[in-house]
Amino acid sequence: MTEATGAEPCDVLVIGGGPAGSTAAALLAERGLDVVLLEKDAHPRFHIGESLLPQNLRILERLGLAEDVARIGVHKPGAEFFSDISGENVAFPFARSLDQSYTHAYQVRRSEFDKLLFENAGRRGARTAEHSRVTDLALAPAPGERARATVATPDGTRELAPRFVLDASGRDTFLGNRLRNKVSNKHINNAAVFAHYRGVAQRDGDRAGYISVHLAEDGWFWMIPLTGGVMSVGFVGTQSAFRQRETSNEEFLERRLRESPTAHARMLNAERISEVHATGNYSYRATKSWGEGWAMIGDAFAFIDPVFSSGVLLAMTAGELGANTAQTWLRDPAAGRAAAQAAELRLRRDMDSLSWLIYRINCPVLRHMFMSPSNRFRMRDGIVTMLAGSFSRGRMSLPVLAVKAVYYTLQGARRLGWSPPPAAAA
């Protein structure tokens, strides 16, 4: 194998120290590979995606972090949805999932959670570095050759020569931008504004710790309880919703909260304690997630609307799959290509399963089904199973098919004049 002259060799370079990158780096390092994990910022740093899913616990146990996350998180036994039209709400407890392996999750501050994952990768043997931004990357010129990465650090420039590159750069989509293979999702072209508050009315009893989703006419709000009495509050809206934004992000978020009867009722004594963040072009996917000696994982490959809190689980799952791809590739490139293709198909399948629901979250028919869930053919339990993070398991086939059959039947009836009850109307 040809060495890149003057560059520091390593087996795997992981670009990005978020959940995908830190998961992959930890798993690869514990298997004895020489891994360099680079983070352009420094932990702790703010990030959205604060609501985990039960299936995250399997990966956290594998990483040895389950107890640490329980310590920093708020116990999350389910999700609930509110209708702004009727004021009604419905709960989806994870205990109803068809997959009983894990029946709770946690709400976490991503600053703390991501720091745990990053430091864990270092403890397991990865060479970690913060304030380290990859500014240039020459992919391997031929099979068996090394890539070459140029890294800007506080001390100057660092040159690396990895045998394999995992792009976990998140929404920066480092390779996606360079390869120009990132495609925005025209079906889910939303944007979001969000902040942290104190004094938001908390849920109690059986619903203590639930994530709350408040369905508005042209989007939805999240309310995620965090430790210390803090609530993460955000609005995700359609293009038409954001075309009405004629003021600052702060004023826009406050106005949208006032206009939502169910969300506003919980915000009467709220005080904002953070700046208001905003993000656009919300959903995208790369046309291909891998190539000769490289793979994209996590948000570097794809991002979908977070209404079902899938982001961190998809990222950590991609980290697992990316680690397997890199290790397999370095041992046997032909087998590595097969592993990369299988990983991409798995991730696309999971995202497609979720996207079917996400595409329709603003549709009156699907909102009617969410707000008045039937468990005939175990449809409600199937939805809970998806909300718990088992996106495309075989046992879900009949319930999910039943949900789709009922949806298309009601949608057909709507075209013939039937209207959903007011609880779902949009």
Side-chain angles (χ1 to χ4, degrees):
M1 177 178 294
T2 302
E3 297 289 339
T5 304
E8 175 187 345
C10 63
D11 291 325
V12 182
L13 168 62
V14 182
I15 305 172
S22 293
T23 297
L27 294 174
L28 287 166
E30 73 176 12
R31 297 169 191 171
L33 293 172
D34 181 16
V35 181
V36 174
L37 171 62
L38 302 180
E39 167 57 39
K40 66 175 183 179
D41 297 317
H43 295 288
R45 79 278 197 273
F46 179 85
H47 206 287
I48 55 170
E50 299 147 316
S51 194
L52 306 183
L53 297 180
Q55 289 302 315
N56 277 107
L57 300 186
R58 176 190 61 79
I59 306 175
L60 291 170
E61 288 175 354
R62 184 177 180 185
L63 294 173
L65 292 174
E67 292 183 2
D68 296 286
V69 173
R71 174 176 50 81
I72 66 168
V74 171
H75 186 267
K76 174 188 174 184
E80 61 181 354
F81 291 77
F82 290 77
S83 167
D84 266 357
I85 299 298
S86 68
E88 296 177 351
N89 63 83
V90 62
F92 292 93
F94 296 140
R96 295 286 301 270
S97 173
L98 298 173
D99 184 346
Q100 289 288 300
S101 55
Y102 300 96
T103 57
H104 72 278
Y106 295 99
Q107 324 273 18
V108 295
R109 281 184 174 83
R110 284 289 300 278
S111 57
E112 299 174 337
F113 179 76
D114 289 10
K115 186 172 186 286
L116 275 178
L117 292 175
F118 188 80
E119 291 177 345
N120 183 62
R123 286 194 302 272
R124 289 174 180 258
R127 292 191 277 151
T128 62
E130 298 175 291
H131 296 300
S132 298
R133 179 188 293 271
V134 177
T135 57
D136 192 26
L137 177 67
L139 295 171
E145 299 291 313
R146 290 179 181 265
R148 181 155 183 157
T150 303
V151 184
T153 77
D155 300 321
T157 300
R158 181 181 182 186
E159 299 286 338
L160 293 167
R163 299 168 62 200
F164 196 91
V165 176
L166 285 174
D167 178 11
S169 59
R171 288 171 59 81
D172 285 355
T173 57
F174 180 82
L175 276 175
N177 288 333
R178 295 176 70 85
L179 299 174
R180 298 182 179 180
N181 73 344
K182 185 176 79 171
V183 179
S184 295
N185 190 325
K186 296 178 181 179
H187 295 284
I188 320 175
N189 194 11
N190 293 337
V193 287
F194 45 92
H196 284 176
Y197 291 80
R198 290 192 189 277
V200 180
Q202 302 275 348
R203 304 294 283 164
D204 54 18
D206 291 343
R207 299 203 191 179
Y210 270 49
I211 180 176
S212 303
V213 175
H214 297 254
L215 299 173
E217 180 177 357
D218 49 4
W220 57 275
F221 296 86
W222 76 70
M223 290 193 182
I224 300 172
L226 303 173
T227 56
V230 174
M231 187 76 72
S232 174
V233 178
F235 172 69
V236 178
T238 61
Q239 285 184 315
S240 63
F242 276 83
R243 276 197 292 266
Q244 304 169 23
R245 182 179 57 179
E246 299 175 350
T247 57
S248 66
N249 291 329
E250 292 79 5
E251 292 171 321
F252 178 71
L253 177 57
E254 297 298 331
R255 176 172 66 81
R256 291 302 313 219
L257 285 165
R258 288 193 302 270
E259 292 173 352
S260 167
T262 60
H264 179 63
R266 298 179 62 183
M267 300 292 295
L268 296 177
N269 298 310
E271 173 191 6
R272 183 163 55 84
I273 59 171
S274 77
E275 63 179 297
V276 174
H277 302 266
T279 182
N281 297 321
Y282 220 50
S283 299
Y284 58 83
R285 191 181 298 187
T287 56
K288 189 174 180 61
S289 72
W290 63 277
E292 196 66 31
W294 61 267
M296 304 171 182
I297 56 176
D299 292 354
F301 168 49
F303 184 83
I304 59 176
D305 188 296
V307 63
F308 300 122
S309 305
S310 58
V312 177
L313 176 58
L314 288 172
M316 295 182 72
T317 300
E320 283 190 303
L321 296 172
N324 178 65
T325 295
Q327 181 184 29
T328 304
W329 196 296
L330 295 180
R331 185 178 64 246
D332 179 350
R337 295 181 190 97
Q341 182 64 25
E344 179 172 333
L345 290 174
R346 158 75 186 278
L347 292 170
R348 288 186 182 277
R349 185 178 69 241
D350 286 353
M351 288 186 290
D352 288 344
S353 296
L354 272 174
S355 293
W356 188 92
L357 291 172
I358 294 170
Y359 290 161
R360 296 162 177 82
I361 193 62
N362 290 322
C363 172
V365 168
L366 189 66
R367 289 192 173 192
H368 165 65
M369 294 174 66
F370 258 87
M371 299 309 299
S372 305
S374 166
N375 207 33
R376 184 174 298 176
F377 304 114
R378 304 205 72 177
M379 288 190 295
R380 177 173 181 154
D381 294 348
I383 290 175
V384 173
T385 306
M386 291 190 70
L387 296 179
S390 298
F391 301 132
S392 51
R393 302 288 177 87
R395 72 187 73 184
M396 290 173 53
S397 298
L398 178 58
V400 171
L401 285 174
V403 168
K404 291 182 178 181
V406 171
Y407 168 83
Y408 287 121
T409 299
L410 294 178
Q411 189 74 333
R414 185 169 180 247
R415 293 193 182 98
L416 296 175
W418 173 80
S419 296

